[in-house]
């Protein structure tokens, strides 16, 4: 199985900050990577697919980049609604696996 | 807009079979791959498997011997069965629709999730 490792596990930031979350794959996954946002008590919500494609309706302050084994999710200017947990997920092959999550907290 | 709704018992006894159904509305069940994902309380996400309209399936090897996913296209439903459950199977179970059009696949549509507790 491909292991997905996110860093940091927890990130404290303020409204307006620019933040970056990193996801590393244990082997190359090309650009077969998605990012999800999850708020407490809710299902994950797709933000980005194919490493850098923004899902419809997702604010442009979210962006993704990377290929191979290293990927990043960047939020250019944090909004109050962005404080949540973020997961990366590969779909290079089966089984799909997710990163352990990055909890974005208010500083 | 595709909407998904999980249903099934919230409590299952150890060694018994967990059974959940996901009902699809607002879209065609023929258009997507239908997945199950679970999340133990306070933990991360684990992919369980998928089924396509043809009935073809793929399961996570960690659960392969215990899991069965089926589809009823006439009812616009797909189902999960997980047998011989233990406390480790306690989790929120999500159904999700995977869009593989355009050369890329991603879990686009998610149900709200249902908590299943394994306990006697």
């Amino acid at each position: 199985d491909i292991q997905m490792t996110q860093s940091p596990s927890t990130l404290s930031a303020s409204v307006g900050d620019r933040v970056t979350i990193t996801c590393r794959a244990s082997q190359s996954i090309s650009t077969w990577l998605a990012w999800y946002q999850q708020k407490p008590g809710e299902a994950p919500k797709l933000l980005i697919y194919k490493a850098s494609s923004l899902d419809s309706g997702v604010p442009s302050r979210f962006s993704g980049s990377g290929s191979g084994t290293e990927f990043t999710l960047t939020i250019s200017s944090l909004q109050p609604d962005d404080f949540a947990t973020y997961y990366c997920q590969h779909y290079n092959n089966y089984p799909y696996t997710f990163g352990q999550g990055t909890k974005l907290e208010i500083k | 807009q595709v909407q998904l709704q999980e249903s099934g018992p919230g409590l299952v006894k150890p060694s018994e079979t967990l059974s959940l159904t996901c009902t699809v509305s607002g879209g065609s069940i023929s258009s997507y791959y239908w997945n199950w994902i679970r999340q133990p309380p306070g933990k991360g996400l684990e992919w369980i498997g998928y089924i396509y309209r043809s009935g073809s399936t793929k399961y996570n090897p960690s659960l392969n011997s215990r899991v069965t996913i089926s589809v009823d296209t006439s009812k616009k439903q797909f189902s999960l069965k997980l047998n011989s459950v233990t406390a480790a199977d306690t989790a929120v179970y999500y159904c999700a629709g995977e869009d593989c059009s355009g050369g890329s696949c991603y879990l686009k549509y998610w149900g709200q999730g249902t908590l299943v507790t394994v306990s006697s």
Side-chain angles (χ1 to χ4, degrees):
Chain A
D1 298 3
I2 296 174
Q3 305 303 313
M4 306 300 292
T5 304
Q6 290 181 231
S7 60
S9 295
T10 306
L11 180 57
S12 296
S14 302
V15 172
D17 284 353
R18 178 184 179 89
V19 299
T20 297
I21 299 169
T22 298
C23 176
R24 289 186 174 86
S26 60
Q27 64 188 72
S28 178
I29 58 170
S30 184
T31 55
W32 304 125
L33 184 100
W35 289 97
Y36 302 86
Q37 177 194 67
Q38 187 179 35
K39 297 179 180 177
E42 297 184 5
K45 172 190 171 185
L46 176 69
L47 297 175
I48 287 170
Y49 62 95
K50 208 174 180 185
S52 60
S53 297
L54 210 62
D55 191 33
S56 57
V58 175
S60 59
R61 62 181 180 272
F62 291 91
S63 63
S65 65
S67 65
T69 61
E70 188 152 336
F71 303 86
T72 58
L73 171 70
T74 299
I75 309 173
S76 60
S77 178
L78 272 175
Q79 299 302 300
D81 191 50
D82 301 337
F83 292 95
T85 300
Y86 293 84
Y87 293 94
C88 62
Q89 175 234 333
H90 87 82
Y91 48 95
N92 182 72
N93 56 14
Y94 297 105
Y96 293 166
T97 54
F98 294 83
Q100 80 280 15
T102 295
K103 186 175 183 179
L104 183 51
E105 298 180 328
I106 300 174
K107 184 183 286 185
Chain B
Q1 179 76 340
V2 175
Q3 294 185 312
L4 305 175
Q5 179 66 59
E6 305 90 349
S7 59
L11 181 64
V12 180
K13 290 182 168 55
S15 80
E16 295 190 346
T17 297
L18 179 158
S19 296
L20 296 173
T21 295
C22 184
T23 302
V24 180
S25 60
S28 171
I29 199 165
S30 298
S31 300
Y32 304 101
Y33 289 73
W34 302 105
N35 290 252
W36 288 97
I37 296 105
R38 69 180 183 177
Q39 185 172 36
K43 296 188 178 180
L45 299 159
E46 180 182 29
W47 177 76
I48 297 171
Y50 81 74
I51 190 164
Y52 191 51
R53 63 185 180 189
S54 60
S56 64
T57 56
K58 196 78 172 179
Y59 301 136
N60 192 323
S62 68
L63 300 167
N64 195 45
S65 61
R66 298 195 293 131
V67 66
T68 303
I69 299 175
S70 58
V71 65
D72 186 334
T73 55
S74 64
K75 292 183 178 178
K76 297 185 72 173
Q77 293 178 332
F78 61 105
S79 299
L80 169 70
K81 290 189 185 301
L82 183 66
N83 57 37
S84 304
V85 297
T86 69
D89 296 309
T90 294
V92 175
Y93 285 77
Y94 295 100
C95 57
E98 182 179 11
D99 188 342
C100 290
S101 60
S104 185
C105 294
Y106 40 89
L107 298 165
K108 169 72 174 176
Y109 304 106
W110 292 69
Q112 65 187 26
T114 187
L115 175 63
V116 179
T117 301
V118 178
S119 175
S120 55

mmCIF file of all heavy atoms in Angstrom, chain A residues 26-41:
data_model
loop_
_atom_site.group_PDB
_atom_site.id
_atom_site.type_symbol
_atom_site.label_atom_id
_atom_site.label_comp_id
_atom_site.label_asym_id
_atom_site.label_seq_id
_atom_site.Cartn_x
_atom_site.Cartn_y
_atom_site.Cartn_z
ATOM 1 N N SER A 26 4.673 7.541 -0.301
ATOM 2 C CA SER A 26 5.788 6.612 -0.126
ATOM 3 C C SER A 26 6.358 6.131 -1.458
ATOM 4 O O SER A 26 7.442 5.538 -1.484
ATOM 5 C CB SER A 26 5.360 5.420 0.723
ATOM 6 O OG SER A 26 4.295 4.729 0.099
ATOM 7 N N GLN A 27 5.632 6.380 -2.544
ATOM 8 C CA GLN A 27 6.152 6.125 -3.888
ATOM 9 C C GLN A 27 5.453 7.076 -4.844
ATOM 10 O O GLN A 27 4.450 7.704 -4.472
ATOM 11 C CB GLN A 27 5.936 4.667 -4.306
ATOM 12 C CG GLN A 27 4.495 4.254 -4.439
ATOM 13 C CD GLN A 27 4.338 2.761 -4.666
ATOM 14 O OE1 GLN A 27 4.548 1.959 -3.769
ATOM 15 N NE2 GLN A 27 3.977 2.410 -5.892
ATOM 16 N N SER A 28 5.976 7.183 -6.051
ATOM 17 C CA SER A 28 5.422 8.148 -6.985
ATOM 18 C C SER A 28 3.962 7.849 -7.324
ATOM 19 O O SER A 28 3.594 6.702 -7.603
ATOM 20 C CB SER A 28 6.234 8.156 -8.277
ATOM 21 O OG SER A 28 5.660 9.065 -9.198
ATOM 22 N N ILE A 29 3.156 8.900 -7.281
ATOM 23 C CA ILE A 29 1.751 8.775 -7.638
ATOM 24 C C ILE A 29 1.387 9.739 -8.773
ATOM 25 O O ILE A 29 0.214 10.076 -8.947
ATOM 26 C CB ILE A 29 0.829 8.994 -6.421
ATOM 27 C CG1 ILE A 29 1.057 10.382 -5.796
ATOM 28 C CG2 ILE A 29 1.019 7.891 -5.388
ATOM 29 C CD1 ILE A 29 0.003 10.754 -4.747
ATOM 30 N N SER A 30 2.406 10.192 -9.510
ATOM 31 C CA SER A 30 2.166 11.176 -10.578
ATOM 32 C C SER A 30 1.417 12.364 -9.971
ATOM 33 O O SER A 30 1.886 12.958 -9.009
ATOM 34 C CB SER A 30 1.407 10.527 -11.727
ATOM 35 O OG SER A 30 1.242 11.438 -12.794
ATOM 36 N N THR A 31 0.264 12.685 -10.523
ATOM 37 C CA THR A 31 -0.550 13.773 -9.940
ATOM 38 C C THR A 31 -1.901 13.240 -9.469
ATOM 39 O O THR A 31 -2.874 13.984 -9.362
ATOM 40 C CB THR A 31 -0.755 14.920 -10.950
ATOM 41 O OG1 THR A 31 -1.323 14.385 -12.157
ATOM 42 C CG2 THR A 31 0.545 15.629 -11.258
ATOM 43 N N TRP A 32 -1.940 11.955 -9.170
ATOM 44 C CA TRP A 32 -3.206 11.336 -8.749
ATOM 45 C C TRP A 32 -3.433 11.576 -7.258
ATOM 46 O O TRP A 32 -3.372 10.667 -6.433
ATOM 47 C CB TRP A 32 -3.215 9.858 -9.081
ATOM 48 C CG TRP A 32 -2.976 9.532 -10.521
ATOM 49 C CD1 TRP A 32 -2.026 8.708 -11.028
ATOM 50 C CD2 TRP A 32 -3.698 10.058 -11.654
ATOM 51 N NE1 TRP A 32 -2.106 8.668 -12.400
ATOM 52 C CE2 TRP A 32 -3.128 9.492 -12.818
ATOM 53 C CE3 TRP A 32 -4.773 10.946 -11.824
ATOM 54 C CZ2 TRP A 32 -3.580 9.770 -14.097
ATOM 55 C CZ3 TRP A 32 -5.229 11.222 -13.105
ATOM 56 C CH2 TRP A 32 -4.640 10.649 -14.216
ATOM 57 N N LEU A 33 -3.694 12.818 -6.929
ATOM 58 C CA LEU A 33 -3.866 13.213 -5.531
ATOM 59 C C LEU A 33 -5.031 14.165 -5.386
ATOM 60 O O LEU A 33 -5.224 15.064 -6.204
ATOM 61 C CB LEU A 33 -2.596 13.900 -5.005
ATOM 62 C CG LEU A 33 -2.695 14.246 -3.524
ATOM 63 C CD1 LEU A 33 -1.962 13.225 -2.683
ATOM 64 C CD2 LEU A 33 -2.218 15.650 -3.227
ATOM 65 N N ALA A 34 -5.794 13.956 -4.307
ATOM 66 C CA ALA A 34 -6.904 14.844 -3.974
ATOM 67 C C ALA A 34 -6.734 15.381 -2.557
ATOM 68 O O ALA A 34 -6.071 14.756 -1.716
ATOM 69 C CB ALA A 34 -8.231 14.088 -4.088
ATOM 70 N N TRP A 35 -7.322 16.528 -2.323
ATOM 71 C CA TRP A 35 -7.355 17.155 -0.996
ATOM 72 C C TRP A 35 -8.821 17.322 -0.569
ATOM 73 O O TRP A 35 -9.674 17.721 -1.375
ATOM 74 C CB TRP A 35 -6.685 18.512 -1.010
ATOM 75 C CG TRP A 35 -5.198 18.507 -1.146
ATOM 76 C CD1 TRP A 35 -4.479 18.668 -2.297
ATOM 77 C CD2 TRP A 35 -4.242 18.364 -0.086
ATOM 78 N NE1 TRP A 35 -3.122 18.621 -2.024
ATOM 79 C CE2 TRP A 35 -2.953 18.433 -0.672
ATOM 80 C CE3 TRP A 35 -4.331 18.166 1.298
ATOM 81 C CZ2 TRP A 35 -1.776 18.328 0.084
ATOM 82 C CZ3 TRP A 35 -3.171 18.069 2.041
ATOM 83 C CH2 TRP A 35 -1.912 18.147 1.434
ATOM 84 N N TYR A 36 -9.078 17.053 0.710
ATOM 85 C CA TYR A 36 -10.415 17.182 1.273
ATOM 86 C C TYR A 36 -10.356 18.039 2.530
ATOM 87 O O TYR A 36 -9.366 18.019 3.262
ATOM 88 C CB TYR A 36 -11.011 15.816 1.636
ATOM 89 C CG TYR A 36 -11.102 14.870 0.464
ATOM 90 C CD1 TYR A 36 -10.018 14.075 0.106
ATOM 91 C CD2 TYR A 36 -12.265 14.786 -0.291
ATOM 92 C CE1 TYR A 36 -10.090 13.217 -0.977
ATOM 93 C CE2 TYR A 36 -12.351 13.927 -1.378
ATOM 94 C CZ TYR A 36 -11.254 13.153 -1.712
ATOM 95 O OH TYR A 36 -11.327 12.310 -2.793
ATOM 96 N N GLN A 37 -11.462 18.720 2.789
ATOM 97 C CA GLN A 37 -11.655 19.488 4.019
ATOM 98 C C GLN A 37 -12.752 18.809 4.825
ATOM 99 O O GLN A 37 -13.805 18.465 4.266
ATOM 100 C CB GLN A 37 -12.075 20.923 3.677
ATOM 101 C CG GLN A 37 -12.384 21.802 4.872
ATOM 102 C CD GLN A 37 -13.105 23.079 4.441
ATOM 103 O OE1 GLN A 37 -14.239 23.041 3.975
ATOM 104 N NE2 GLN A 37 -12.435 24.208 4.594
ATOM 105 N N GLN A 38 -12.520 18.631 6.105
ATOM 106 C CA GLN A 38 -13.550 18.040 6.961
ATOM 107 C C GLN A 38 -13.739 18.876 8.213
ATOM 108 O O GLN A 38 -12.769 19.168 8.923
ATOM 109 C CB GLN A 38 -13.201 16.599 7.347
ATOM 110 C CG GLN A 38 -14.330 15.911 8.101
ATOM 111 C CD GLN A 38 -14.030 14.474 8.468
ATOM 112 O OE1 GLN A 38 -12.882 14.117 8.767
ATOM 113 N NE2 GLN A 38 -15.049 13.615 8.454
ATOM 114 N N LYS A 39 -14.974 19.225 8.468
ATOM 115 C CA LYS A 39 -15.334 19.940 9.703
ATOM 116 C C LYS A 39 -15.976 18.954 10.663
ATOM 117 O O LYS A 39 -16.527 17.927 10.237
ATOM 118 C CB LYS A 39 -16.264 21.102 9.383
ATOM 119 C CG LYS A 39 -15.589 22.143 8.504
ATOM 120 C CD LYS A 39 -16.522 23.279 8.158
ATOM 121 C CE LYS A 39 -15.783 24.285 7.282
ATOM 122 N NZ LYS A 39 -16.659 25.392 6.857
ATOM 123 N N PRO A 40 -15.922 19.234 11.979
ATOM 124 C CA PRO A 40 -16.465 18.284 12.963
ATOM 125 C C PRO A 40 -17.914 17.919 12.673
ATOM 126 O O PRO A 40 -18.750 18.788 12.407
ATOM 127 C CB PRO A 40 -16.337 19.072 14.278
ATOM 128 C CG PRO A 40 -15.180 19.984 14.052
ATOM 129 C CD PRO A 40 -15.274 20.386 12.610
ATOM 130 N N GLY A 41 -18.181 16.617 12.688
ATOM 131 C CA GLY A 41 -19.538 16.136 12.477
ATOM 132 C C GLY A 41 -20.009 16.143 11.038
ATOM 133 O O GLY A 41 -21.168 15.844 10.773
#
